[in-house]
Amino acid sequence: MNTILQKADKAGIAQGAALIRKGQVVAFPTETVYGLGADGTDSEAVRRVFEAKDRPRDNPLIQHIAEFSAWLPLVEDTPPLARALAAAFWPGPLTIILPASGVIPPEARAGLPTVSVRMPDHPVATALIQAAGVPIAAPSANRSGRPSPTDAGRVWEDLRGRIPMILDGGSCRVGLESTVISLEGNGVRILRPGGITPEMLETVVQQVKIDPAVLAPLEGRRIAPSPGMKHRHYAPNTPLRVAIGEPDTQIRRLSDAYDILEGQGERPILLIVEEMAPSAGSRRRIPWGSLKHPETLAENLFSVLRQVDESGASIGLCQSVPPSGMGLAVMNRLLRAAGYRTLD
Ligand code: TXA
Ligand code: MG
């Protein structure tokens, strides 16, 4: 299949929407990461999304809407708590799971009785959804298991030849995917941390629980509350280790591991923030961002993970960040990318 890399201007968006109305898939920018969109009400179109990215069929898709009223037909009911959350954070990187009506076909929900919905905060996404006139089902536009793409070039790397069109709308502002929540009593449970932090949710709801699977592997026989939790994710092809501990301890663990691995004939590379760079000396490193500007850690993470593969290194050694605010989402992606292998 020939893939067109199309500028996301008015004409490009109209072409993309026409493809979606015909049951085709189109990659498009959102404020979080690029999505691979199709008509969320069309089971055949949804099947194409799974095929293009080799996605396991048991992993459901998020429905993207452009107006509040578009939410109502997709779900059985919108409880007051859900409406309060939507009012506070939509458009924006919050995905809300609710019992599904019959409008979204089981293929898009991976057979679950629930449906997840979000309203992206990006002019191209909004215009595309409006022009298509349907909810757009969209997972991140990467090959399954790979780091999510935050610019059109990264989508091209993964999906060239597998989809008809990529709408190029530049780089994504947030860089990590939306926060996925379910409602629980008077509060919410975070199944995947993201652009809306626990601290932000606490301004609207009484209780914010963080699912144990956010920072640790799923325990033994526990059934994943969100199917995405059980799949390997966000990973470069090169193995990765994450250093745990206070900053000084981390730098010692990273340098020691680097020197030992190099002595064994490996080609290690460090993934560290600007503030740590002086302690790395002449060791090879990929600059990640700055602790003084924590949003850069989220924004650059997936690109840094892809750079590990491009660097020719045989192993990546990454520092960790405190798991509060956006740090929770950063650590969730990082630990999963490393398969929970830590330096401690
Ligand atoms: O920011 C985002 O959310 C991006 C952009 C494109 O909107 N999309 C995205 O989609 O990250 P995806 O498919 O890569 O991740 C969706 C996650 C998966 O972990 C999936 O298991 C979970 O949300 N999910 C979707 N529907 C669900 C449901 N009904 N119940 C539980 N988990 C659900
Ligand atoms: Mg994804």
Side-chain angles (χ1 to χ4, degrees):
M1 184 186 293
N2 189 27
T3 303
I4 304 168
L5 186 58
Q6 173 74 46
K7 191 169 169 227
D9 54 14
K10 237 176 152 190
I13 292 169
Q15 277 181 45
L19 281 170
I20 286 179
R21 280 197 303 272
K22 276 195 281 184
Q24 288 300 325
V25 300
V26 173
F28 66 100
T30 80
E31 81 280 29
T32 58
V33 300
Y34 272 71
L36 182 59
D39 179 348
T41 65
D42 175 349
S43 56
E44 192 56 23
V46 163
R47 196 185 52 73
R48 291 202 174 94
V49 171
F50 281 89
E51 217 155 74
K53 60 175 281 175
D54 282 331
R55 183 180 177 96
R57 306 281 152 162
D58 64 353
N59 199 1
L61 307 182
I62 296 171
Q63 302 292 329
H64 296 69
I65 56 172
E67 280 137 42
F68 284 92
S69 58
W71 193 15
L72 307 178
L74 311 185
V75 296
E76 255 178 19
D77 178 30
T78 52
L81 190 60
R83 272 180 270 145
L85 287 161
F89 299 115
W90 283 0
L94 181 70
T95 296
I96 305 176
I97 300 175
L98 286 175
S101 70
V103 171
I104 299 301
E107 288 80 1
R109 294 183 273 119
L112 294 177
T114 52
V115 64
S116 55
V117 182
R118 93 171 183 99
M119 187 190 288
D121 182 19
H122 193 291
V124 172
T126 304
L128 183 70
I129 299 163
Q130 279 168 345
V134 289
I136 294 188
S140 48
N142 48 285
R143 287 292 277 274
S144 201
R146 300 261 300 144
S148 300
T150 51
D151 64 49
R154 297 303 192 181
V155 180
W156 177 259
E157 270 171 32
D158 273 22
L159 297 178
R160 178 183 33 166
R162 302 176 72 95
I163 60 174
M165 181 180 283
I166 301 168
L167 282 174
D168 184 352
S171 305
C172 302
R173 172 170 59 78
V174 179
L176 292 181
E177 303 89 339
S178 64
T179 304
V180 178
I181 58 165
S182 59
L183 304 189
E184 216 175 85
N186 280 335
V188 299
R189 174 181 289 266
I190 297 181
L191 303 180
R192 181 181 71 181
I196 301 295
T197 63
E199 293 82 352
M200 291 162 81
L201 291 167
E202 274 162 7
T203 64
V204 177
V205 301
Q206 282 177 14
Q207 202 180 32
V208 177
K209 285 192 191 152
I210 298 172
D211 195 275
V214 162
L215 289 180
L218 264 184
E219 300 145 35
R221 279 187 279 162
R222 183 168 170 238
I223 294 169
S226 177
M229 286 175 169
K230 65 174 188 261
H231 297 292
R232 184 175 146 86
H233 256 132
Y234 316 116
N237 298 318
T238 315
L240 196 66
R241 301 283 182 277
V242 183
I244 303 295
E246 294 301 312
D248 286 352
T249 315
Q250 282 192 43
I251 205 66
R252 183 172 45 74
R253 286 177 173 151
L254 288 166
S255 323
D256 288 355
Y258 186 107
D259 297 345
I260 291 168
L261 286 162
E262 199 174 44
Q264 292 168 346
E266 295 280 338
R267 298 178 311 283
I269 196 157
L270 299 174
L271 285 66
I272 53 176
V273 298
E274 242 164 58
E275 289 85 350
M276 281 212 189
S279 334
S282 62
R283 297 178 185 90
R284 286 184 74 205
R285 68 185 174 91
I286 299 173
W288 178 7
S290 160
L291 287 174
K292 276 191 227 116
H293 304 281
E295 68 284 355
T296 57
L297 305 177
E299 193 185 328
N300 298 334
L301 179 65
F302 286 138
S303 157
V304 165
L305 290 178
R306 285 182 183 239
Q307 287 170 48
V308 178
D309 286 340
E310 292 156 4
S311 72
S314 64
I315 183 164
L317 304 172
C318 189
Q319 72 166 96
S320 52
V321 297
S324 56
M326 277 299 275
L328 182 69
V330 168
M331 286 310 292
N332 165 265
R333 308 304 191 275
L334 200 53
L335 285 168
R336 302 194 62 183
Y340 300 96
R341 281 170 305 230
T342 53
L343 295 173
D344 47 15

